[in-house]
């Protein structure tokens, strides 16, 4: 008999409906065994007499092929039962046995009697002793403890119960039958536990061996029925990660089944509650550190990991956008329900749930922090309470129940200060907080105030950003939850008690922060900042002015006008700016309503009539004075208009026009109504005829025999089109002026749009219908005829504008048939390119005229995933159509129909998106045309693109010169990619870049657009393209979500990372062999070539263009290793690093944009870092550093003065870097800089200054910078300490003071010009008292050897040109008597005067007298006053000059001929007097 039949027999009910007892079962099993199958030895073993045929007694009747059981009397059962038990104990299956045991109804199974086999009651109930004795015997035979064996047997039975359900996996719940069997099994296990015959540890280990078969409900019931607790079971597993994975998976399944409609939902909820309570209690006990600073115990670690994984999976599901009602949505909802407070009522202490909730909130706020602050600034409007997913906001609310508002704010603040956060979750939490908690407004306000206080106290940018984000997010929820942003901003910064009013440093910090926000700000916030600006002291008004100008410029770029803002426009809303016409109508209605309530002209209207006159006259009054039928009894609108007229707030002419228009409306109301009724019908008639003609064309297109009639039908369409648009007969001529098109905002009239849409729809439908019948090359000429009909002079601009709207602005919404049709249209437009005018498009595209085919290259960018997908579809369709359409014609026709830019973009996207395209192509069957998949109802674009890529004809097209994607083309397109909306992940994008650069373009020959394997060429090309991109308008045409690349331009920042990697590879590469002269660093070669191509000049445009280019150069240098600036000396040579290229860049370019004799800190520090790095690789680092810095004194002194300016910041880093590369003291030349700095500091100290170390110009520069930093009102006393120093020191100090004076004039952020003038005057006075000549400083030329050339290399050229301004600004401080005795005075004074006049004539003096310095320069007067005073001084001084001063006056006479005739006459007169002394002698009268 099989085991299954035995189990079935044991479970069948016997007489009286009860189950058969074990004795009956055993007897029946023995009785039905055939005699032949039981040996004599077997019967003897049972203790029974031999049952063979020779013996009498009970026999088996074998008849009719069946075994008939003999009936035993009462006295025979014990004799047969005991041997039968012994037989089964020897041969039974314990696993099946425990599952078959079930006691009589309403009676618990007493296993104590089963175990005690030798007890006195054994002969009455053998079933009570069977399991115990069987387990003992089996354990004795196996040599294992009975407890271990019983645990294994029970575990095996548990697994069989779990596997008994035939339902589809995965499962976590049991069926009723499984629960019934499991209950009996647990009774046995409990009795075994009571008799110490059950090992929990062995049981757990056995379960983990088959954990995939375990049902979560069985595990839970083990816990509930006290067989094995959950904690004990989990702790018995050696692998915590496996436990976490198993339990997390089953808990997710439990959540799904809990929310599913089934009869076991109560069991599932009870299971989930028990599991969560256990995990929370074990994971968040007191003194348990879940942050990882202390190693937690095993169970705590598992509990926390499971809870974190469950929350993370729920948050990821929310981020993926689950649909309400889906299984995933129900599972997330179920898990979030565990955060309800009632689930933790059984937990006596609330500390564990509170710690759990706080940890959960922290995990939510820090989940996948991928967004940057700039993203949060731009996108936080999308994260308000109303737009937050209900599940997430519900989770927040559940967390708020246990955590107090104070604890919530503290938790938020701690997380934001210590972690990288998910800004979407943080700000949506803030919104939920202010909406759901009544005390949140006060708490959030206090929190924001503390953040602002800390930000301004320590200039902490993070606190500032957080304060603004929190305040704006709270303000999004409306005034009932938090003050509006305008009110908050005004309260925080609009008074003298604001956080920013403590110092100038705080003001600079505030406006620097607001300025940095401008590129990312929504227009509404910029309007708040401009209309409610921070309160700024008058002396710092320039800071506010600069910011307001920047904000207004940004608003202008966004096409939002401050002047045209509505009178009652709500600045508290962060929504989109209302359209002017809509806001104007709202303003009129609001003004009328206010007038009705008050009876007075609204204050907002009066203010607008004075302060916002542009909006008032251009928008408000025309809307208010809309002509209408005037009521007999004046209404509120009429009374308001009359009040404004009496107040002279309406121009008389405008009011008169309004009255006349109202009269016209009153006289002819019927005519206007009839006209409104007639016009549409008149216009609809030709449009209907055009629609009919286009419908007839479709029938001809799909019927090849009718192709001959296409010309006639196109003529009909042309006529109907002319009638619909009101075109003249000669409008078919498309030649003429270029088409003007605005790419950013293409416009066309509604009627034109209806006609163009009708034509485009017809073309697309005709193409798809024709392609369903025949391929393009057999469709006839209908498409070319159709496109030529569209190319009318008046229709073409509307057609191109509509194409711009569809492709550039509505591309993702186009269907496959639309894309295919428009691509074919573009091909035929390219076919007619010679007959079409050029297209002039607005920014950001080039200003030059473009052929129509190249227009599509602009309309199809590849910046985002959506735009790239559209571009791939369009390019695939266009190339496939052209290859099929012109397959039998000349290739030149094919190439002329397509834009090279589109063909390159196709290659670019295919390389990016399809990794299989990066391998050498395997040609497909030519019969598999890529055009066929595009004609299906649901086009398979991937298949079509790859099919096109693998076509030999298309490959020949792509490899043609001018159409092949080169390395430069790839860089230009890749730079336009916006990483945050790219189809590739960061890792995929980096892998693609590595392949493209190192495997595709780098090894390719230059003839095919590669780099010939030269990594230096690849880097140089990348730098060149990067700078072109950042200088072009394309870099500013991206969405506000884009990230920053170099120089503040938007683009793919990863490309610059590739440059950094390649530059590092070059630096680490082998040195060139031999002793060949170095060819210079590639980077400086690129910079030099680009800078030489720019126009040189002193006009503002040229200077700004060069400054912009230099800024890009500098930022690229700063982004690359500092060793780029300094060539590394060879170890075998004791030579200085090669800095010639960088020195040349500094002297020729960077010097002209330096300030006050120094470069900026960033480039200065970068140079010294590179210098020390290079020296560390030399055999003698000190010598290498000294040689380089000594060369700096003559070749590039500006680097040394820059180091002196930034010495307090540079010195600690230099010391640290030097100690890392050498144990010796600082190099001599660095110590010289240190000594010059100490000398300068000692001059301004009360102590006696030591002798100045050399060189003198270096000490003078250090002293100048120290004086500037000190900001003292007078330095006369300090200058007295220089009496013992050399004369050169004072002369050089005067030179640097002059440069400081000019810098103060030219740079608004510099020290005040009056203070700089005082410093110059005091130094000049010291020179004059000591009789030291200072006039040679105004005669420096490049031809001067030594110090003259050095000083000129310390000052920008434009400041040297402005030396005449500085000379005559000091006119009042001259010692005129002493000056007249100097031979050089007259020459210098006249030369400076002539140059001053030349500067004034050229308009260059305007840069000195800027509005920012107007108040400070009033004492000095304007340029005319300065020239007048200088002229008067010369005319007074010339007659007094000694004769030796006129030795070289001939040169000055020639130069002054055209500048000042009076000065020239004075010089001639004095010169003649010198030449003829008699003319100077007084007549002798007596």
């Amino acid at each position: 008999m099989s085991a299954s039949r035995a189990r079935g027999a044991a479970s069948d009910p016997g007489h009286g409906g009860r189950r058969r007892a074990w004795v009956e079962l055993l007897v029946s099993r023995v009785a039905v065994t055939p005699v032949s199958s039981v040996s004599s030895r077997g019967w003897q073993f049972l203790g029974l007499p031999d049952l063979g045929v020779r013996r009498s007694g009970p026999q088996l009747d074998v008849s009719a092929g069946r075994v008939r059981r003999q009936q035993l009397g009462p006295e025979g059962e014990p004799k047969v039962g005991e041997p039968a038990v012994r037989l089964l104990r020897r041969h039974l299956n314990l696993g099946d046995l425990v599952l078959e045991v079930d006691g009589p109804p309403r009676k618990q199974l007493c296993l104590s009697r089963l175990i005690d086999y030798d007890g006195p009651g054994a002969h009455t109930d053998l079933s009570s002793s069977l399991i115990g004795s069987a387990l003992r015997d089996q354990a004795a035979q196996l040599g294992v403890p009975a407890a271990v064996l019983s645990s294994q047997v029970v575990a095996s039975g548990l697994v069989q119960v779990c596997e008994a359900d035939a339902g589809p996996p995965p499962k976590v719940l049991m069926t009723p039958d499984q629960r019934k069997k499991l209950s009996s099994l647990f009774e046995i296990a409990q009795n075994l536990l009571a008799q110490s015959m059950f090992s929990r540890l062995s049981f757990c280990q056995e379960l983990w061996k088959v954990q995939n078969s375990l049902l979560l409900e069985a595990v839970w019931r083990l816990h509930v029925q006290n067989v094995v607790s959950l904690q004990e079971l989990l702790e018995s597993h050696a692998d915590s990660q496996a436990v976490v994975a198993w339990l997390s998976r089953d808990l997710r399944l439990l959540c799904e089944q809990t929310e599913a409609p089934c009869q076991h939902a109560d069991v599932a909820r009870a299971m989930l509650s028990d599991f969560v309570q256990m995990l929370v209690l074990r994971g968040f006990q007191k003194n348990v550190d879940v942050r990882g600073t202390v190693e937690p115990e095993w169970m705590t670690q598992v509990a926390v990991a499971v809870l974190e994984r469950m929350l993370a999976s729920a948050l990821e599901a929310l981020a993926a956008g689950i649909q309400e009602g889906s299984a995933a949505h129900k599972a997330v909802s179920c898990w979030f329900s565990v955060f309800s407070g009632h689930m933790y009522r059984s937990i006596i202490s609330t500390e564990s749930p509170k710690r759990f909730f706080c940890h959960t909130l922290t995990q939510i706020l820090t989940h996948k922090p991928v967004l940057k602050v700039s993203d949060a600034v731009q996108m936080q409007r999308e994260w308000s309470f109303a737009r937050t997913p209900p599940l997430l906001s519900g989770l927040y609310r559940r967390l708020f129940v246990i955590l107090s508002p104070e604890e919530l704010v503290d938790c938020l603040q701690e997380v934001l200060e210590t972690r990288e956060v998910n800004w979407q979750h943080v700000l949506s939490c803030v919104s939920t907080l202010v909406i759901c908690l009544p005390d949140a407004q006060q708490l959030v306000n206090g929190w924001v105030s503390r953040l602002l206080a800390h930000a301004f106290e320590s200039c902490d940018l993070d606190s500032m950003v957080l304060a603004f984000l929190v305040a704006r997010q709270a303000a999004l929820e409306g005034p009932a939850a938090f003050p509006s942003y305008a009110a908050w901003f005004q309260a925080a910064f609009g008074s003298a008690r604001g956080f920013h009013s403590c110092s100038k440093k705080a003001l600079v910090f505030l406006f620097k922060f607001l300025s940095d926000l401008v590129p990312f700000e929504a227009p509404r916030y910029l309007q708040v900042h401009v209309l409610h600006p921070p309160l700024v002291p008058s002396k710092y008004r320039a800071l506010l002015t600069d910011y307001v100008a920047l904000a207004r410029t940004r608003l202008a770029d966004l096409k939002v006008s401050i002047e045209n803002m509505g009178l009652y426009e709500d600045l508290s809303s962060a929504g989109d700016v209302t359209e002017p016409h809509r806001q104007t109508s709202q303003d009129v209605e609001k003004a009328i309503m206010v007038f009705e309530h008050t009876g007075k002209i609204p204050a907002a209207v009066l203010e607008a009539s004075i302060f916002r006159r542009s909006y008032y006259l251009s928008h408000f009054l025309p809307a208010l004075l809309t002509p209408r039928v005037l009521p007999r009894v004046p209404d509120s609108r009429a009374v308001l208009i009359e009040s404004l007229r009496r107040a002279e707030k309406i121009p008389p002419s405008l009011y008169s026009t309004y009255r006349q228009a109202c009269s016209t409306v009153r006289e002819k109301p019927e005519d206007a109504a009839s006209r409104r009724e007639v016009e549409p019908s008149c216009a609809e008639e030709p449009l209907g005829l055009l629609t009919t003609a286009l419908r007839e064309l479709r029938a001809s297109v799909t019927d090849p025999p009718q192709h001959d009639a296409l010309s006639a039908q196109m003529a009909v369409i042309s006529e109907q089109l002319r009638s619909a648009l009101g075109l003249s007969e000669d409008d078919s001529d498309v030649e003429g002026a270029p088409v003007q098109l605005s790419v950013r905002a293409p416009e066309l009239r509604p009627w034109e749009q209806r006609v163009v849409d009708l034509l485009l729809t017809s073309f697309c439908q005709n193409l798809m219908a024709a392609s369903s019948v025949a391929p393009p090359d057999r469709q006839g000429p209908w498409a070319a005829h159709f496109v030529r009909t569209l190319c009318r002079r008046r229709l073409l601009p509307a057609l191109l504008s509509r194409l711009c709207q569809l492709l550039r602005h509505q591309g993702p919404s186009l269907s496959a048939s639309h894309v295919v049709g428009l691509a074919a249209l573009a091909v035929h437009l390219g076919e007619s390119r010679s007959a079409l005018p050029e297209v002039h498009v607005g920014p950001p595209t080039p200003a030059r005229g473009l052929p129509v085919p190249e227009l599509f290259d602009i309309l199809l960018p590849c910046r985002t995933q959506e735009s790239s997908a559209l571009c791939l579809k369009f390019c695939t369709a266009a190339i496939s159509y052209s290859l099929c359409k012109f397959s039998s014609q000349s290739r030149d026709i094919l190439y002329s129909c397509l834009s090279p830019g589109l063909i390159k973009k196709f290659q670019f996207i295919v390389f990016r998106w399809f990794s299989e395209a990066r391998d050498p192509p395997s040609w497909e069957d030519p019969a598999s045309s890529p055009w066929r998949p595009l004609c299906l109802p649901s086009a398979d674009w991937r298949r079509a693109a790859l099919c096109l890529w693998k076509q030999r004809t298309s490959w020949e097209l792509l490899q043609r010169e001018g159409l092949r994607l080169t390395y430069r083309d790839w860089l230009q397109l890749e730079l336009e990619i916006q990483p945050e909306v790219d189809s590739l992940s960061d890792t995929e994008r980096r892998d693609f870049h590595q392949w493209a650069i190192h495997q595709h373009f780098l090894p390719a020959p230059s003839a095919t657009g590669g780099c010939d394997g030269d990594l230096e060429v690849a880097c140089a090309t990348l730098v060149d393209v990067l700078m072109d991109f950042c200088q072009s308008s394309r870099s500013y045409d991206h969405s506000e979500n884009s990230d920053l690349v170099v120089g503040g331009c938007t683009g793919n920042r990863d490309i610059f990372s590739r440059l950094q990697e390649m530059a590092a590879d070059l630096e680490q590469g082998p040195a060139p062999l031999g002793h060949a002269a170095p060819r210079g660093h590639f980077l400086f070669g690129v910079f030099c070539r680009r800078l030489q191509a720019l126009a040189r000049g002193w006009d503002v445009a040229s200077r700004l263009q060069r400054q912009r280019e230099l800024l890009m150069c500098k930022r690229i240098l700063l982004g690359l290793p500092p060793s780029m600036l300094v060539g590394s000396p060879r170890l075998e040579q004791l030579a200085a690093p090669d800095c010639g290229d960088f020195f040349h860049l500094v002297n020729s370019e960077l010097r002209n944009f330096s300030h006050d004799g120094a470069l900026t800190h960033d480039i200065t520090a970068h140079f010294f870092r590179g210098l020390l790095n290079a020296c560390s690789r030399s055999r003698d680092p000190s010598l290498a550093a000294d040689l380089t810095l000594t060369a700096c004194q003559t070749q590039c002194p500006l680097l040394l003065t820059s180091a002196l300016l930034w010495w307090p910041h540079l010195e600690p880093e230099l010391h640290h870097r030097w100690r890392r590369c050498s144990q010796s003291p600082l190099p001599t030349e660095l110590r010289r800089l240190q000594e010059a700095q100490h000398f300068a500091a000692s001059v301004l100290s009360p102590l006696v200054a030591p002798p100045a170390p050399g060189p003198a110009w270096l000490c003078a520069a250090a002293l100048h910078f120290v004086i500037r930093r000190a900001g003292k009102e007078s330095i006369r006393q300090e200058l007295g300490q220089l009496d013992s120093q050399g004369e050169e020191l004072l002369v050089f100090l005067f030179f640097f003071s002059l440069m400081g004076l000019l810098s103060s004039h030219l740079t608004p952020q510099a020290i005040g010009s009056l203070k700089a003038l005082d410093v110059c005057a005091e130094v000049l006075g010291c020179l004059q008292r000591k009789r030291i000549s200072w006039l040679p400083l105004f005669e420096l030329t490049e031809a001067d050897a030594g110090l003259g050339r050095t000083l000129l290399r310390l000052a920008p050229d434009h400041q040297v040109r402005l030396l005449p301004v500085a000379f005559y600004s000091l006119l009042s401080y001259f010692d005129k008597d002493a000056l007249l005795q100097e031979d050089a005075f007259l020459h210098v004074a006249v030369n400076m005067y002539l140059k001053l006049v030349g500067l004034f004539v050229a308009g260059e003096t305007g840069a000195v007298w800027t509005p920012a310095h107007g108040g400070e320069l009033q004492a000095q007067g304007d340029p005319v006053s300065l020239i007048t005073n200088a002229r008067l001084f010369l005319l007074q001084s010339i007659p007094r000059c000694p004769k030796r001063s006129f030795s070289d006056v001939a040169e000055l006479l020639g130069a002054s001929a055209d500048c000042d005739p009076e000065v020239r006459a004075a010089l001639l007169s004095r010169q003649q007097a010198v030449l003829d002394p008699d003319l100077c002698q007084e007549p002798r009268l007596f």
Side-chain angles (χ1 to χ4, degrees), residues 1420-1430:
Q1420 303 174 42
D1422 52 55
V1424 177
S1425 301
L1426 189 68
I1427 294 175
T1428 302
N1429 294 334

Side-chain angles (χ1 to χ4, degrees), residues 742-746 803-813 859:
S742 173
V743 175
R744 290 181 185 265
L803 289 174
C804 180
Q805 290 178 347
L806 293 173
L807 294 176
R808 190 175 179 89
H809 301 282
Q810 305 172 22
S813 63
L859 300 183

Side-chain angles (χ1 to χ4, degrees), residues 104 120 171 273 312 314 440 465 511 605 636 660 709 739 797 1092 1131 1206 1212 1232 1318 1321 1375 1465:
K171 303 182 296 295
S273 176
V465 167
F511 284 108
V605 176
S636 300
Q660 291 177 2
V739 176
Q1092 287 177 353
L1131 290 176
W1206 305 112
R1232 194 186 304 278
D1318 293 338
D1375 185 353

Side-chain angles (χ1 to χ4, degrees), residues 307-317 335 363 367-368:
L307 292 170
E308 287 181 346
R309 184 173 292 195
M310 291 297 296
L311 180 60
S313 64
L315 293 176
E316 288 172 4
W335 181 251
Q363 185 183 351
H367 177 73
K368 289 191 176 179

Side-chain angles (χ1 to χ4, degrees), residues 746-766:
E747 296 179 356
L748 67 163
R749 291 177 293 180
W751 185 250
E752 289 179 337
Q753 181 172 334
R754 290 186 62 184
V755 173
V756 172
D757 283 350
L758 179 62
L759 294 170
L760 292 179
T761 302
S762 175
F763 183 87
C764 295
Q765 293 174 346
N766 291 344

